[in-house]
Amino acid sequence: MIPTRPGLVRQIVAVIHKDLLVEWRGQARLLAMGTYAVTLLLLFSFAVGPDTKTLQQHAAGYVWLALLSASTMTLTQSFRVETEAGALEALLMLPVDHRAIYFGKALANTALLVVLACLVMPVAAVLFDLSAAEGLYWLLPPIVLGAAGLAGPGTLYAALTARVAAQQLMLPLLLFPLIVPALVAAVKSTSLVLQGDPMGQMSSWLIVLASFDLIFWSLSGLLFAKVVEE
Amino acid sequence: MEPSAVETSALGRRYGRRWALARVNLQVARGERLLIAGANGSGKSTLLRVLASLLAPSIGSARVFGHDVATEPSAVRARVALLTYTPGVYEDLSARENLRAQLRLLGRDDAPEALLERVGLELRDDPVRGYSAGMRKRLSFARLLMQRPDLALLDEPYGQLDPEGFKMVDGLVAELSQAGATVIMASHMVERAGALCDRGVLIDQGQVRWEGPGPQTARAWDAAHGGGR
């Protein structure tokens, strides 16, 4: 009997649900990731010293460096759980669209990074004295688009390096040069929210981020099948 | 006329310079139970993985229900389930959660409890990470049954199981067969598996060396290997 396949969106939702459940069950990993990001912020804060103005000026950069470093843990982990007991192979053996696996995993990784950013931002606000910043809800667009900029190509490269022994080393080597435009745009737009935007540049940087995401999510979605198949 | 369940023609697969399969010609009728026997590294697992479309042939062709494994993997996978030595599960999830996640991917919302009971697993909520090898194997069987395959590819189905587990495998193979599925199993338990199968083949160095009735496979193996099983 040939089974009927659920639609692409339902498959994507099923992959997101599965990935987030796996992450939720492995809560120690989430905690480790959050602790790592907060520790980095603390180190930046101590390295610069009690110069409040400098800390405020560079706060966006420090936050995104912490998120970038922690993102390699998230991305590596998202494929380690797939390969440690052959789950990815079992997943590929199901009549599931490869695009659903990619977009589901990339969206789950984006959600995890957004959650991480939401945990890190209050710590950054205290450490870098960001209490004067207004309209902090405007941080959401750069955080979501920036997290997607890391997670989109990051999920593809994590799949590519999943069977490599030195994955923790290979992933940043491949990924970091590629995501420089997204990172620059995320830092600039976050900084404009924290420092104020008298010239109205915010929308331009968000367009850069959104364009980056659109291009790399589309390309990665197309390439994912080639990467995970033999 | 309906195509055979499996049809390979001069099928070959190599890893680097070593040929794991060399010119294998095999035809398996729908509903047939076939045992593939052979020593370690003889090419049994590679053959099953090629038929599951997880490995592409290096030469020749393999068709499953008329679909080419290299060019139509989606059509093949829609009808095939593969049991391997890895359980294919998420270690941090419970058995129930693992099955439920996969059922959701198939667009189904049936309860996984019946499947777990069928393979003799208790309905526990602890993660699979703490399971023994035998329990993982039983969970792999539950996953295979969940797929309701037309072709079940079983790589060492008796591996890691206790004697009760052996009986469970025998029962599941009979059940799959009664449901109309074709079963191809690779096993070192030649006598037990041979008695279950309609036909057996002996593979050595990637080539089919003997083909005959399933129950005679053990004798053919003994003749080829001087009784060492």
Side-chain angles (χ1 to χ4, degrees), chain B residues 3-7 30 63-68 72 79:
Chain B
S4 306
V6 169
E7 192 168 0
R30 288 172 185 240
R63 301 184 82 82
V64 172
F65 296 109
H67 300 290
D68 191 290
E72 302 169 275
R79 305 184 69 176

Side-chain angles (χ1 to χ4, degrees), chain A residues 1-6 10-15 17-19 21-22 25-26 29 77 81-82 84-96 98 100-101 105 229-230, chain B residues 13 15 49 52-56 67 74 77-82 84 86-94 97 101-102 104-108 129 136 143 146-148 150 153:
Chain A
M1 188 180 70
I2 302 170
T4 53
R5 220 159 68 159
R10 272 187 78 186
Q11 289 186 3
I12 291 173
V13 171
V15 174
H17 184 277
K18 182 262 299 171
D19 270 30
L21 184 64
V22 171
R25 288 282 180 269
R29 291 194 301 265
Q77 184 56 33
V81 297
E82 296 289 353
E84 71 176 337
L88 181 62
E89 192 174 276
L91 193 59
L92 295 175
M93 274 305 294
L94 296 177
V96 176
H98 288 82
I101 301 175
K105 291 193 83 66
E229 291 290 344
E230 183 206 15
Chain B
R13 165 72 201 195
Y15 299 107
R49 295 173 77 78
S53 77
L54 286 173
L55 289 176
H67 300 290
S74 299
R77 290 173 197 183
R79 305 184 69 176
V80 172
L82 171 70
T84 63
T86 52
V89 295
Y90 298 95
E91 298 271 343
D92 289 325
L93 302 186
S94 68
E97 285 170 336
Q102 297 191 337
R104 201 173 282 128
L105 279 162
L106 294 173
R108 283 162 44 192
R129 194 174 292 286
R136 284 158 190 259
R143 202 166 48 71
M146 177 199 77
Q147 285 179 253
R148 298 172 186 160
D150 290 327
L153 303 170

